[in-house]
Amino acid sequence: MKHEIDLKKYAIRTDLVVDLLASKEMEGITVQEEQIKGVHVTDVRVKEENNGLGKKKGRYVTIDFQDVTDKKNAMEVEDAFVKYLKEFLEEEKISFDQKALVIGLGNDDSTPDSLGPKAVKQVLVTKYLFDMEEVNPSSDYRNVASFIPGVMAMTGYESSDIISSLISIGKPDFILVIDALASSAISRVNKTIQISNTGILPGSGIGNKRKELSKETLGIPVISIGVPTVIDAIVLVSDTIQYLLKHFSYHKDFFGKNKLAPVTSIDTSNYEKELSEEEKETLLGEVGQLSEEELQELIFEVLTPIGYHMVVTPKEVDFVVSKLGTIIANGINRTLHKNFDN
Amino acid sequence: MKHEIDLKKYAIRTDLVVDLLASKEMEGITVQEEQIKGVHVTDVRVKEENNGLGKKKGRYVTIDFQDVTDKKNAMEVEDAFVKYLKEFLEEEKISFDQKALVIGLGNDDSTPDSLGPKAVKQVLVTKYLFDMEEVNPSSDYRNVASFIPGVMAMTGYESSDIISSLISIGKPDFILVIDALASSAISRVNKTIQISNTGILPGSGIGNKRKELSKETLGIPVISIGVPTVIDAIVLVSDTIQYLLKHFSYHKDFFGKNKLAPVTSIDTSNYEKELSEEEKETLLGEVGQLSEEELQELIFEVLTPIGYHMVVTPKEVDFVVSKLGTIIANGINRTLHKNFDN
Amino acid sequence: MKHEIDLKKYAIRTDLVVDLLASKEMEGITVQEEQIKGVHVTDVRVKEENNGLGKKKGRYVTIDFQDVTDKKNAMEVEDAFVKYLKEFLEEEKISFDQKALVIGLGNDDSTPDSLGPKAVKQVLVTKYLFDMEEVNPSSDYRNVASFIPGVMAMTGYESSDIISSLISIGKPDFILVIDALASSAISRVNKTIQISNTGILPGSGIGNKRKELSKETLGIPVISIGVPTVIDAIVLVSDTIQYLLKHFSYHKDFFGKNKLAPVTSIDTSNYEKELSEEEKETLLGEVGQLSEEELQELIFEVLTPIGYHMVVTPKEVDFVVSKLGTIIANGINRTLHKNFDN
Amino acid sequence: MKHEIDLKKYAIRTDLVVDLLASKEMEGITVQEEQIKGVHVTDVRVKEENNGLGKKKGRYVTIDFQDVTDKKNAMEVEDAFVKYLKEFLEEEKISFDQKALVIGLGNDDSTPDSLGPKAVKQVLVTKYLFDMEEVNPSSDYRNVASFIPGVMAMTGYESSDIISSLISIGKPDFILVIDALASSAISRVNKTIQISNTGILPGSGIGNKRKELSKETLGIPVISIGVPTVIDAIVLVSDTIQYLLKHFSYHKDFFGKNKLAPVTSIDTSNYEKELSEEEKETLLGEVGQLSEEELQELIFEVLTPIGYHMVVTPKEVDFVVSKLGTIIANGINRTLHKNFDN
């Protein structure tokens, strides 16, 4: 298989930096990890524009968690989110008298895409009270505005154009943007919040007209908050085949054979010893010898012409997105205002 | 791989008879097909209790279609659905003066599971008017009641127990049950309506306590109407690997090589000539030699311990389920009442 | 005006006992009042079947409050609600091992009528876990089931018939019923929770077929929880005319004239000194001399033939009903289970 | 009662021109009426800026109808709406190649205020297809964009500022604005669509900061489409007292007495012969002698200090607003595009 690989043209979205970390060398990158109760935080700083991740210079914090429909878990996630969101504001040297604009990207009528709108509706907005001079400058409230620009297929307008206008009108000092993301790994769906200061590409744009929302394009600091709520079917299949190989490797080492022995209930997904190329061929033939990118390209070729290049979401998406929207809104309120009792 | 296969224990739901047809010999079964404009209908009659499908004796009509968010398609689907639903009523010898109870299974708060409740809310109910003697017996309206029993995890009650009670109270002569199904093929998700007179297993039951809703258990004819809105991740992966083999087979025959040549935009999913066992081994190794059931079992073993045995639904589920609920409700209204103008 | 008054025939619903208290002598009745922070509780015990209120023997607790969209207020209301709901369970000698069935009357698709369904969806249900023997008998959880029977116009079924069936199937030891009520006073709308052990008439029944839900009809204790969310236009007008007279009376006494002097911003609604009959005639003519019942009858006569006998709800109903549903659900969870942390 | 009357300061909104027509002389105004099946249309042209209505120069078309939950009625209303909306486009000399921007004012989370957002979500948007040059210029589709600017209390932004920005970005040639209105007459609530070319004041603005949306402020034609969905409690009471007097007048004339005789089921609301001042005093005392404005002022004084200056909406608002949103969206689609088949 010698043809060139250009995964980008297959439009498999990879919005999460941690997805890339796993499979790449790290040049110009520092990674710190922190465990806060049941929540795992990966704090990646990309220090140079040209780096192994192909990602923009900046900070990417990933908060990983389990089921947020459990109240205790949800509170732990909210606390970790507040801790790191406050750090982003500090790093951007944003003071309490500076004005925030909170943007919820996505489409409120499509559950997996409704995270942004759901969160923004719960953010405490005070801008009009400041405009009417009804807020004491020494109060516990920051000047906060919010907006849900909608999706281009429904409005005809680019989100970035609308947000530029809102900046002209309201003169905010910084922007928080919330969006649902696509994941390139099964394990992240609805189980990760990523915070970054490098900007965001609105997910619902059409074709190559999507314009970035970032400090470079908008002129003020942009802190983005994203949760992967969907996954490409291609990634689902490709991930599973990778897990298959790890499963074989584990079984070979522990049971003295590379047979497909049925031993359920052992998590082999983190087994690090890889099979040899020969073993891979025995087990998965030519397919076993493909790189992850080649495999995804192949699956793309097979699924696309028959119309099954689906983007999917777990069945429980309604409950999880609703809960995550509340966690993010509460976290933003606690970060932007003082003494916020939720 | 010699260990016994018992797919049922892996809980991969296969609610659609047409999914089974593709891979089984047909003993005691007749199949008729009809194309009505853009809609394809497969009419399966299972004539003996012991048959190649492992399905109950009775009639299974499958209506396949494309995107129902297109108005013209939607009307064609509704017309085909009405035609066949009327046939089911005639076969059960149900006359116009007989009373209907329309049941919407599922959970209104979970989009992929909300088809039944969404449809039932649009069914025209007349029972209380008949009870109050406000309907002229020679009118165009049948005596129709409806109910949404909810899901056991939310109510604590079995749907079948509640429906038995409704039958005792209201004395309907027959039941229509609407439910969201799981598909065992990518191609069916949100693109099929199945009508059957053999009963239904409520999809949201827990463990093996689910009780069948059928003429045998309820004492009156039960016509079930189902749409697959979710798919097991295992099926998604397994289907894709099958498509992979067809893709190779097609390319070998048409391009003189079994290389993984990149030729997008050709639909090879219906290419019927199979690869030889040797070719399968070359391409996919030992995995290529597994039967579909063995492959699903293997994927189950790999994904389950790591918690990724997901049931997924396409990202567009909100729009499609809403539209399908309306089509089914309109179709039921046109079938149960006379001169129903929607 | 000598014709007989029979207000009931005009279908002006008066679901709240405190509305009646204001205008009636109290025979066979004791009233206790308690102020818990911002919440006022009126605890009425009707001791004899024949009494001045025309209400059934039993206890009626009314919790009055202000805006529950304020978090502090909401918590005070929830605490008072839990305190009194626990008293009702104790009085009925309901122990922790006894099984609860929580019923949400009303229609989820009509905001002012959706209080019951909204609350019930947030009640923690455990019945199926007990049925599967997955709950330790010494746990902190009570055996709780729930149900939303829907409205007769949509299902064709009487709520009382469905609830009787649920009792036969699940054998609960007592029932909590939640419903939206009609108020007969402007001041109560969305600002009162009434708890009673005397049963409830489902509000959405049609004509005189509504059947009571009570210990007498169902055989087990029934504790009803109601919030007035709608008001009859007749009551709104009649209340306002009563307030008009109080307004005049206050102004006469304090400003030495019975002119219609414009003095806004004084709350005169609790001014107790009444005008003389002569003064009432001067101000409001013959209308001023009507009793409250006669006035409502007159307004009924005027509005009904022109189709304006409306039942109305405040514009903010969406936010308030949603908040009240959560308060009631949290309160029920804290009362039925132990150590419930919400 | 000699104090000055300034009703505007009491903030009783009167968004409908026909409400004013009833009680005013008509200088510089022409009125045409048309009955189209069950729909009554009042077509008011205000020809001079200074006129008896105190309304801006321009055209005001009011479409009155009964229950739109009936399908036949709904279609008649839609047809009349399309007929007149097309006339407005013609009068503004808007050709098919001119670009439309459809704005939905209001708040999607508050049912009575959600008409604009509900309608706009069903409008067919094509702007992005034109931007990508995917629409044949000779097609049946006009270039249409849409937007839901939200309410200032939630976003902090003035609707008029956002709309000005959208005009700068997308360069539409004209604007359609949809909003829920307040009615100053019981009889209009949910039973009227008003179309006008004179602009609109966003209903959810705060205090006197509301900015008009009109050709004067935005620079391009603005056609507004409004439905009254709420009514002030003050209007409800005041209307009822007016009906009371008509009721007395009718009864006196037909039954030879001005007693409060109970005769239900006769619609007396259009009885034109007025009572004498003396008769009014006998029946309603001093209150009977107040003008409508004085009466509303008095009711305002009574209700406001006790917090009952409510804005109310009929209990059925969910169903009616949903249906009206669809009628307006369908009508707009049929007007803006060609051969639109809904």
Side-chain angles (χ1 to χ4, degrees):
Chain A
M1 228 180 113
K2 291 284 175 286
H3 62 273
E4 271 183 293
I5 301 289
D6 179 5
L7 202 61
K8 276 166 212 132
K9 81 173 183 221
Y10 301 119
I12 298 176
R13 289 172 51 196
T14 313
D15 295 317
L16 294 176
V17 161
V18 283
D19 286 351
L20 302 170
L21 268 191
S23 58
K24 294 275 182 184
E25 288 298 291
M26 299 167 200
E27 307 156 12
I29 287 164
T30 63
V31 179
Q32 279 191 305
E33 309 211 27
E34 183 181 18
Q35 186 77 24
I36 313 178
K37 294 176 188 163
V39 176
H40 186 81
V41 181
T42 312
D43 185 354
V44 178
R45 288 174 190 271
V46 177
K47 296 182 169 174
E48 296 165 26
E49 216 52 78
N50 293 313
N51 55 68
L53 291 173
K55 281 280 173 180
K56 288 178 66 180
K57 203 171 138 183
R59 188 179 183 189
Y60 304 83
V61 165
T62 309
I63 300 168
D64 292 325
F65 43 84
Q66 295 305 311
D67 177 22
V68 284
T69 60
D70 177 274
K71 281 185 180 184
K72 194 167 143 287
N73 285 0
M75 189 45 70
E76 289 178 10
V77 173
E78 191 182 308
D79 288 344
F81 173 63
V82 169
K83 175 184 169 183
Y84 280 90
L85 186 57
K86 283 184 174 170
E87 285 192 20
F88 273 92
L89 264 67
E90 281 160 21
E91 283 199 21
E92 300 290 336
K93 301 194 174 25
I94 293 164
S95 59
F96 186 69
D97 61 348
Q98 289 192 293
K99 296 185 282 179
L101 170 58
V102 186
I103 298 288
L105 298 177
N107 181 353
D108 201 19
D109 294 325
S110 167
T111 308
D113 204 19
S114 66
L115 179 81
K118 279 204 173 63
V120 159
K121 285 180 179 183
Q122 300 174 68
V123 166
L124 181 67
V125 167
T126 56
K127 178 181 182 294
Y128 70 98
L129 297 173
F130 278 88
D131 289 352
M132 297 170 76
E133 299 180 3
E134 291 191 0
V135 181
N136 190 322
S138 64
S139 85
D140 285 347
Y141 295 107
R142 182 192 296 269
N143 187 324
V144 176
S146 77
F147 212 75
I148 299 169
V151 293
M152 208 164 100
M154 289 189 69
T155 67
Y157 285 94
E158 272 279 0
S159 292
S160 58
D161 291 340
I162 291 164
I163 293 167
S164 293
S165 298
L166 296 175
I167 293 173
S168 307
I169 303 168
K171 316 277 185 227
D173 297 298
F174 66 105
I175 289 187
L176 301 187
V177 186
I178 309 159
D179 200 6
L181 308 175
S183 178
S184 65
I186 303 179
S187 57
R188 305 281 179 198
V189 181
N190 293 335
K191 293 185 175 167
T192 291
I193 299 174
Q194 178 177 276
I195 315 176
S196 169
N197 57 7
T198 62
I200 194 167
L201 279 178
S204 313
I206 283 158
N208 49 9
K209 303 200 68 175
R210 301 191 306 171
K211 293 182 199 160
E212 188 183 81
L213 302 175
S214 68
K215 192 169 186 172
E216 290 73 37
T217 61
L218 297 175
I220 54 176
V222 173
I223 297 166
S224 65
I225 298 157
V227 174
T229 61
V230 294
I231 191 167
D232 197 300
I234 293 171
V235 174
L236 198 81
V237 176
S238 152
D239 269 22
T240 304
I241 290 175
Q242 303 299 334
Y243 289 133
L244 215 69
L245 292 171
K246 292 195 172 189
H247 185 76
F248 295 154
S249 178
Y250 176 89
H251 278 222
K252 184 198 67 173
D253 291 356
F254 286 83
F255 299 99
K257 47 176 175 164
N258 57 9
K259 293 289 179 203
L260 306 176
V263 183
T264 52
S265 83
I266 297 170
D267 179 350
T268 58
S269 65
N270 293 313
Y271 191 62
E272 299 207 349
K273 200 166 151 213
E274 288 218 7
L275 295 175
S276 69
E277 288 307 302
E278 203 169 53
E279 287 167 331
K280 284 185 183 173
E281 188 177 344
T282 306
L283 282 161
L284 267 172
E286 295 193 6
V287 168
Q289 294 176 290
L290 299 177
S291 73
E292 188 175 348
E293 288 188 357
E294 289 167 328
L295 180 59
Q296 293 194 351
E297 184 182 15
L298 174 64
I299 300 168
F300 177 86
E301 280 171 26
V302 171
L303 290 183
T304 303
I306 48 178
Y308 305 152
H309 180 175
M310 293 198 293
V311 176
V312 295
T313 189
K315 191 190 171 207
E316 302 71 22
V317 67
D318 297 76
F319 307 108
V320 181
V321 166
S322 169
K323 192 69 202 169
L324 285 167
T326 300
I327 288 171
I328 289 172
N330 284 345
I332 288 175
N333 286 333
R334 287 169 56 187
T335 302
L336 295 186
H337 302 297
K338 287 180 189 162
N339 300 318
F340 192 89
D341 165 33
N342 77 86
Chain B
M1 227 181 110
K2 291 284 174 283
H3 62 273
E4 271 183 294
I5 301 287
D6 179 6
L7 202 60
K8 276 165 211 131
K9 84 173 181 221
Y10 301 118
I12 299 175
R13 289 172 51 196
T14 313
D15 294 318
L16 295 176
V17 162
V18 284
D19 286 351
L20 301 171
L21 268 189
S23 59
K24 293 277 182 181
E25 288 298 292
M26 301 167 199
E27 307 155 13
I29 288 164
T30 63
V31 179
Q32 280 192 306
E33 308 211 28
E34 183 182 16
Q35 187 77 25
I36 314 178
K37 295 174 187 164
V39 176
H40 186 81
V41 181
T42 312
D43 185 354
V44 178
R45 288 174 191 271
V46 177
K47 295 183 169 174
E48 295 165 28
E49 215 51 77
N50 291 314
N51 56 70
L53 291 173
K55 281 279 175 180
K56 286 178 67 181
K57 203 172 139 183
R59 188 179 183 188
Y60 303 83
V61 165
T62 309
I63 299 168
D64 291 327
F65 44 84
Q66 294 305 310
D67 177 20
V68 284
T69 61
D70 176 274
K71 280 187 180 183
K72 192 167 142 288
N73 285 0
M75 190 45 70
E76 288 178 11
V77 173
E78 191 182 307
D79 288 344
F81 173 62
V82 169
K83 176 186 167 181
Y84 280 90
L85 186 57
K86 283 184 174 170
E87 285 190 20
F88 274 91
L89 264 67
E90 281 159 22
E91 282 198 22
E92 299 291 335
K93 299 192 174 29
I94 292 165
S95 59
F96 186 70
D97 61 347
Q98 288 191 296
K99 296 185 282 180
L101 170 58
V102 185
I103 299 288
L105 298 178
N107 182 354
D108 201 19
D109 293 325
S110 168
T111 309
D113 203 20
S114 65
L115 178 82
K118 279 205 172 64
V120 158
K121 285 181 178 182
Q122 301 175 68
V123 166
L124 180 68
V125 167
T126 55
K127 177 182 183 295
Y128 70 98
L129 297 173
F130 277 88
D131 288 352
M132 298 170 75
E133 298 181 2
E134 290 190 1
V135 181
N136 189 322
S138 63
S139 85
D140 284 347
Y141 295 108
R142 183 192 296 269
N143 187 324
V144 175
S146 77
F147 212 75
I148 299 169
V151 293
M152 209 164 100
M154 290 188 68
T155 67
Y157 286 94
E158 272 278 0
S159 292
S160 58
D161 290 340
I162 292 164
I163 294 167
S164 294
S165 297
L166 295 174
I167 294 173
S168 307
I169 302 168
K171 315 278 184 227
D173 297 298
F174 65 105
I175 288 186
L176 302 186
V177 186
I178 308 159
D179 200 6
L181 307 176
S183 177
S184 66
I186 303 178
S187 56
R188 305 282 178 198
V189 180
N190 293 335
K191 293 186 175 168
T192 292
I193 299 174
Q194 177 176 278
I195 317 176
S196 168
N197 57 7
T198 61
I200 194 167
L201 280 178
S204 312
I206 284 158
N208 49 9
K209 302 199 71 175
R210 303 191 306 170
K211 293 182 198 162
E212 187 185 80
L213 302 175
S214 68
K215 192 169 187 173
E216 289 74 36
T217 62
L218 298 175
I220 54 176
V222 173
I223 297 166
S224 64
I225 298 157
V227 174
T229 62
V230 294
I231 190 167
D232 196 301
I234 293 171
V235 174
L236 198 82
V237 176
S238 151
D239 269 23
T240 305
I241 290 175
Q242 303 299 332
Y243 289 133
L244 216 67
L245 292 172
K246 291 194 173 189
H247 185 76
F248 295 153
S249 178
Y250 176 90
H251 279 223
K252 184 197 67 173
D253 292 355
F254 287 82
F255 299 99
K257 47 176 175 160
N258 58 9
K259 293 289 180 203
L260 306 177
V263 184
T264 50
S265 82
I266 298 170
D267 179 350
T268 57
S269 64
N270 293 312
Y271 192 63
E272 299 209 348
K273 198 163 153 218
E274 288 218 7
L275 294 174
S276 70
E277 287 307 303
E278 202 169 55
E279 288 167 330
K280 285 185 184 173
E281 189 178 341
T282 305
L283 282 160
L284 267 172
E286 294 194 7
V287 168
Q289 295 177 289
L290 298 177
S291 73
E292 187 175 348
E293 288 189 356
E294 289 167 329
L295 179 60
Q296 293 195 350
E297 184 182 16
L298 174 64
I299 300 167
F300 176 86
E301 279 171 26
V302 171
L303 291 183
T304 303
I306 49 179
Y308 306 151
H309 180 176
M310 292 199 294
V311 176
V312 296
T313 190
K315 193 189 169 207
E316 301 73 22
V317 66
D318 296 77
F319 308 108
V320 181
V321 165
S322 169
K323 192 71 202 167
L324 285 167
T326 301
I327 289 171
I328 289 172
N330 284 345
I332 288 175
N333 287 332
R334 286 168 58 187
T335 303
L336 295 186
H337 303 296
K338 288 178 188 163
N339 301 317
F340 191 88
D341 165 34
N342 76 87
Chain C
M1 231 180 107
K2 291 284 177 283
H3 61 275
E4 269 183 294
I5 302 288
D6 179 6
L7 203 60
K8 277 163 212 133
K9 82 174 183 223
Y10 300 119
I12 299 175
R13 289 173 50 197
T14 313
D15 294 317
L16 294 177
V17 161
V18 283
D19 286 350
L20 301 171
L21 268 189
S23 58
K24 292 278 182 183
E25 288 298 294
M26 299 165 202
E27 308 155 13
I29 289 163
T30 62
V31 180
Q32 279 191 306
E33 310 210 28
E34 183 182 17
Q35 187 77 25
I36 314 178
K37 294 174 188 165
V39 176
H40 186 81
V41 181
T42 311
D43 185 353
V44 178
R45 288 175 191 270
V46 177
K47 296 183 170 174
E48 295 164 28
E49 215 51 78
N50 291 314
N51 55 69
L53 291 173
K55 281 278 175 183
K56 285 178 67 180
K57 205 171 138 183
R59 187 178 182 189
Y60 303 83
V61 165
T62 309
I63 299 168
D64 292 326
F65 44 84
Q66 294 306 309
D67 177 21
V68 285
T69 61
D70 176 274
K71 281 185 180 183
K72 193 166 142 287
N73 284 1
M75 189 46 70
E76 289 178 9
V77 173
E78 191 181 307
D79 288 344
F81 173 62
V82 169
K83 175 184 169 184
Y84 280 91
L85 186 56
K86 283 184 174 169
E87 285 192 20
F88 274 91
L89 264 66
E90 280 160 24
E91 283 199 21
E92 300 290 335
K93 300 193 174 25
I94 293 165
S95 59
F96 186 68
D97 61 348
Q98 289 191 295
K99 297 185 283 180
L101 170 58
V102 186
I103 299 288
L105 298 178
N107 181 355
D108 201 18
D109 293 325
S110 167
T111 309
D113 203 21
S114 66
L115 178 81
K118 279 205 172 65
V120 158
K121 285 179 179 184
Q122 300 175 67
V123 167
L124 180 67
V125 166
T126 55
K127 176 181 182 295
Y128 71 99
L129 298 173
F130 277 89
D131 289 352
M132 297 170 76
E133 297 180 4
E134 290 190 1
V135 181
N136 189 323
S138 64
S139 86
D140 285 346
Y141 295 108
R142 182 193 296 269
N143 187 324
V144 175
S146 78
F147 212 76
I148 299 170
V151 293
M152 209 164 101
M154 290 188 69
T155 65
Y157 285 95
E158 272 277 359
S159 291
S160 59
D161 291 341
I162 292 163
I163 294 167
S164 292
S165 296
L166 296 175
I167 294 173
S168 307
I169 302 168
K171 315 276 184 229
D173 297 298
F174 65 105
I175 288 186
L176 301 186
V177 186
I178 308 160
D179 199 6
L181 307 176
S183 178
S184 66
I186 303 178
S187 57
R188 306 282 178 197
V189 180
N190 293 335
K191 293 186 175 167
T192 292
I193 300 174
Q194 177 177 277
I195 316 176
S196 169
N197 57 7
T198 61
I200 195 169
L201 279 178
S204 312
I206 284 158
N208 49 8
K209 302 199 72 175
R210 303 190 305 171
K211 292 183 198 162
E212 187 183 80
L213 302 175
S214 67
K215 192 169 188 173
E216 289 75 36
T217 61
L218 297 175
I220 55 176
V222 174
I223 297 166
S224 64
I225 298 158
V227 174
T229 62
V230 294
I231 191 167
D232 196 301
I234 293 171
V235 174
L236 198 81
V237 177
S238 149
D239 269 22
T240 305
I241 290 175
Q242 303 299 331
Y243 289 132
L244 216 68
L245 292 172
K246 291 193 173 190
H247 186 75
F248 295 153
S249 177
Y250 177 89
H251 278 224
K252 185 198 66 172
D253 290 356
F254 285 81
F255 298 98
K257 48 179 174 164
N258 58 7
K259 291 291 177 199
L260 307 177
V263 183
T264 51
S265 83
I266 298 170
D267 178 349
T268 57
S269 66
N270 294 312
Y271 191 64
E272 298 207 350
K273 197 165 155 216
E274 288 217 7
L275 294 175
S276 70
E277 288 306 303
E278 201 168 55
E279 287 166 331
K280 285 184 183 174
E281 188 177 343
T282 306
L283 282 160
L284 268 172
E286 294 194 8
V287 167
Q289 295 177 287
L290 299 177
S291 72
E292 188 174 350
E293 289 189 355
E294 288 168 328
L295 180 60
Q296 292 195 350
E297 183 183 17
L298 174 64
I299 299 166
F300 177 86
E301 280 171 25
V302 171
L303 291 182
T304 303
I306 48 179
Y308 305 151
H309 180 176
M310 293 197 294
V311 176
V312 296
T313 190
K315 191 187 171 211
E316 301 73 21
V317 66
D318 297 76
F319 308 107
V320 181
V321 165
S322 169
K323 193 69 202 170
L324 285 168
T326 300
I327 289 171
I328 289 172
N330 284 346
I332 287 175
N333 287 333
R334 288 169 57 186
T335 303
L336 295 186
H337 303 297
K338 288 180 188 162
N339 300 319
F340 191 88
D341 165 34
N342 79 84
Chain D
M1 231 179 107
K2 291 285 175 284
H3 60 275
E4 268 182 294
I5 301 288
D6 179 5
L7 202 59
K8 275 162 212 135
K9 82 173 181 219
Y10 300 119
I12 298 176
R13 289 173 50 197
T14 313
D15 294 317
L16 294 176
V17 162
V18 283
D19 286 352
L20 300 171
L21 269 189
S23 58
K24 291 278 182 183
E25 288 300 293
M26 299 165 201
E27 306 155 14
I29 288 164
T30 63
V31 179
Q32 279 191 306
E33 310 210 27
E34 183 182 17
Q35 187 77 24
I36 313 177
K37 293 175 188 163
V39 176
H40 186 82
V41 181
T42 311
D43 186 354
V44 178
R45 287 174 190 271
V46 177
K47 296 181 169 176
E48 296 164 26
E49 217 51 78
N50 291 314
N51 55 68
L53 291 173
K55 281 278 174 181
K56 286 177 67 181
K57 205 171 139 182
R59 188 179 181 188
Y60 304 83
V61 165
T62 309
I63 300 168
D64 291 325
F65 43 84
Q66 295 305 310
D67 177 22
V68 285
T69 61
D70 177 275
K71 281 185 179 183
K72 194 166 142 285
N73 285 1
M75 190 46 70
E76 289 178 10
V77 173
E78 191 182 308
D79 288 344
F81 173 62
V82 169
K83 176 184 169 184
Y84 279 90
L85 186 57
K86 283 184 174 169
E87 285 191 20
F88 274 91
L89 264 67
E90 282 160 21
E91 282 199 21
E92 300 290 335
K93 300 194 175 24
I94 294 164
S95 59
F96 186 67
D97 61 349
Q98 288 192 294
K99 296 184 284 180
L101 170 59
V102 186
I103 299 287
L105 299 177
N107 181 355
D108 201 18
D109 293 325
S110 167
T111 309
D113 204 21
S114 66
L115 180 81
K118 280 205 172 66
V120 158
K121 286 180 178 182
Q122 300 174 70
V123 166
L124 181 67
V125 167
T126 56
K127 176 180 182 298
Y128 71 98
L129 297 172
F130 278 88
D131 289 351
M132 298 169 74
E133 298 181 3
E134 290 190 1
V135 181
N136 189 322
S138 63
S139 86
D140 285 346
Y141 295 108
R142 182 192 297 270
N143 187 324
V144 176
S146 77
F147 212 76
I148 298 170
V151 293
M152 208 163 100
M154 290 187 70
T155 66
Y157 285 95
E158 272 278 358
S159 292
S160 58
D161 291 340
I162 292 163
I163 294 167
S164 293
S165 297
L166 296 174
I167 294 174
S168 306
I169 303 168
K171 314 277 185 228
D173 297 298
F174 66 105
I175 288 187
L176 301 187
V177 186
I178 309 160
D179 199 6
L181 308 176
S183 178
S184 66
I186 303 178
S187 56
R188 306 281 178 198
V189 180
N190 293 335
K191 293 187 173 166
T192 292
I193 299 174
Q194 177 175 279
I195 316 175
S196 168
N197 56 6
T198 61
I200 194 168
L201 280 178
S204 312
I206 283 158
N208 49 8
K209 302 199 71 175
R210 304 190 305 171
K211 292 183 198 161
E212 186 183 80
L213 303 175
S214 67
K215 192 170 188 173
E216 289 73 38
T217 61
L218 297 175
I220 54 176
V222 173
I223 297 166
S224 64
I225 299 158
V227 174
T229 62
V230 294
I231 190 167
D232 196 300
I234 292 171
V235 174
L236 197 82
V237 176
S238 150
D239 270 22
T240 304
I241 290 175
Q242 302 299 332
Y243 289 132
L244 216 68
L245 292 172
K246 291 194 173 191
H247 185 76
F248 294 154
S249 178
Y250 177 90
H251 278 225
K252 184 198 69 174
D253 291 356
F254 286 82
F255 299 100
K257 48 179 175 165
N258 58 8
K259 292 291 179 200
L260 307 176
V263 184
T264 52
S265 83
I266 298 170
D267 178 350
T268 57
S269 66
N270 293 312
Y271 192 63
E272 298 206 350
K273 198 164 153 215
E274 288 217 7
L275 294 175
S276 69
E277 288 306 303
E278 201 169 56
E279 287 167 330
K280 284 185 182 173
E281 187 178 343
T282 305
L283 282 160
L284 268 171
E286 294 194 7
V287 168
Q289 294 177 289
L290 299 177
S291 73
E292 188 175 349
E293 288 187 356
E294 289 168 327
L295 179 60
Q296 292 194 351
E297 184 182 17
L298 174 63
I299 299 167
F300 176 85
E301 280 171 26
V302 171
L303 291 183
T304 302
I306 48 179
Y308 306 151
H309 180 178
M310 294 197 293
V311 176
V312 295
T313 190
K315 191 187 170 210
E316 301 74 20
V317 65
D318 296 76
F319 308 107
V320 181
V321 166
S322 169
K323 193 69 203 170
L324 285 167
T326 301
I327 288 171
I328 289 171
N330 284 345
I332 288 174
N333 287 332
R334 288 169 58 187
T335 302
L336 295 186
H337 303 296
K338 288 180 189 163
N339 300 319
F340 191 89
D341 165 34
N342 77 85

